């Protein structure tokens, strides 16, 4: 699934998120109000927009309403809150991810300000963007121990081969473990007899070498690209 994503803030964090998402096949627009931040050569595959993301007219001109996700990634928490609020309330963007720069401001980053998820690290932000809207593919959430193991997520589509089957029936490859099932608002520690349901978010720890095998087992024919 290719998404259209707007990122407010073209600094190091914004560019890092943009590059990560572009590498994963998404369309990214970087918005910044400072001309000195306009460096298209840093992320040549992104669309670059010189505008103030806190201004309603600027967001309208950039067609933020047509975006699947907005990421507020500036170095100013006040700006990130305003961008989040406008994206959610004025443009009904489905997913708003906001960067928190100062820990003491974290309590402000709630759904009342239009924020769906508040985070601080670029790779985690990119993963959360994809995890929220990606069904039927594997999303890498985090890397452990210098790349030796990864935390990955797969949201089960209705067509997945083991929907309705117990966990014990899933033939996971070596070096992979199902650690959590997220089902709605519930967090389940999977037992062998727990059945899998469409829409379940399965969280695995596995090595990078077996990620494709995990994808193939869990998704079956849907894993073919």
């Amino acid at each position: 699934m290719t998404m259209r994503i707007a990122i407010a803030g073209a600094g190091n964090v914004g560019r890092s998120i943009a590059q990560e998402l572009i590498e994963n096949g998404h369309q990214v627009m970087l918005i910044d109000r400072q001309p000195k931040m306009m460096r298209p050569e840093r992320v040549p595959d992104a669309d670059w927009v010189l505008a103030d993301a806190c201004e309603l007219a600027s967001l309208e001109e950039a067609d933020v309403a047509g975006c699947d996700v907005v990421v507020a990634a500036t170095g100013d928490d006040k700006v990130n809150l305003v961008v989040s609020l406008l994206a959610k309330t004025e443009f009904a963007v489905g997913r708003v991810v906001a960067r928190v720069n100062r820990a003491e401001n974290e309590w402000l980053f709630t759904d009342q300000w239009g924020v769906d998820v508040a985070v601080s690290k670029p790779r985690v932000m990119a993963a959360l963007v994809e995890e929220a809207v990606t069904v039927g593919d594997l999303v890498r959430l985090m890397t452990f121990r210098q790349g030796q193991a990864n935390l990955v997520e797969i949201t089960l589509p209705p067509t997945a081969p083991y929907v309705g089957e117990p966990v014990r029936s899933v033939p996971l490859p070596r070096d992979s473990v199902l650690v959590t099932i997220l089902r709605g608002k519930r967090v389940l520690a999977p037992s062998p007899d727990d059945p899998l349901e469409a829409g379940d978010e399965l969280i695995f720890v596995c090595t990078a070498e077996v990620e494709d095998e995990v994808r193939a087992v869990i998704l079956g024919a849907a894993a073919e690209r």
Side-chain angles (χ1 to χ4, degrees):
M1 176 181 177
T2 298
M3 295 179 291
R4 185 168 184 263
I5 301 161
I7 300 174
N12 290 332
V13 172
R15 293 197 304 269
S16 296
I17 299 167
Q19 190 61 52
E20 182 86 13
L21 292 169
I22 288 170
E23 289 176 359
N24 290 338
H26 303 297
Q27 299 175 3
V28 176
M29 172 174 56
L30 278 162
I31 306 172
D32 205 291
R33 65 181 180 180
Q34 300 184 52
K36 67 179 182 180
M37 302 306 295
M38 292 290 103
R39 299 177 179 178
E41 71 280 0
R42 297 289 183 90
V43 191
D45 293 325
D47 295 324
W48 290 73
V49 177
L50 179 61
D52 188 344
C54 290
E55 292 184 356
L56 192 60
S58 297
L59 297 179
E60 287 178 344
E61 187 174 349
D63 190 26
V64 167
C67 292
D68 301 290
V69 183
V70 165
V71 181
T74 78
D76 187 325
D77 285 343
K78 297 188 293 297
V79 170
N80 291 342
L81 286 171
V82 172
V83 171
S84 299
L85 186 64
L86 290 176
K88 185 65 71 174
T89 61
E90 298 295 330
F91 300 99
V93 175
R95 185 73 164 178
V96 177
V97 180
R99 172 189 178 188
V100 182
N101 295 279
R102 299 178 65 87
E104 61 267 29
N105 294 331
E106 189 170 359
W107 66 277
L108 289 166
F109 286 74
T110 66
D111 56 358
Q112 292 183 329
W113 278 93
V115 178
D116 294 305
V117 179
V119 286
S120 59
K121 292 186 178 296
R123 181 172 291 274
V124 176
M125 292 178 78
L128 285 169
V129 168
E130 293 195 292
E131 178 271 333
V133 294
T134 302
V135 176
D137 202 358
L138 181 148
V139 177
R140 184 180 297 173
L141 300 176
M142 191 176 297
T143 298
F144 301 109
R145 296 190 62 184
Q146 299 180 351
Q148 295 180 31
N150 298 317
L151 187 70
V152 302
E153 182 269 358
I154 298 177
T155 300
L156 286 182
T159 56
Y162 293 99
V163 168
E165 299 292 327
V167 169
R168 67 171 180 272
S169 67
V170 181
L172 288 175
R174 182 180 178 180
D175 296 327
S176 64
V177 178
L178 174 63
V179 293
T180 304
I181 299 174
L182 304 180
R183 182 173 295 158
K185 295 183 178 180
R186 299 178 62 196
V187 179
L188 306 177
S191 69
D193 294 325
D194 286 334
L196 299 177
E197 298 181 5
D200 280 354
E201 295 180 48
L202 307 183
I203 310 297
F204 299 87
V205 173
C206 64
T207 61
E209 290 76 15
V210 301
E211 282 184 359
D212 286 342
E213 294 180 56
V214 172
R215 180 191 290 112
V217 168
I218 298 300
L219 298 175
E224 297 178 7
R225 298 183 176 181

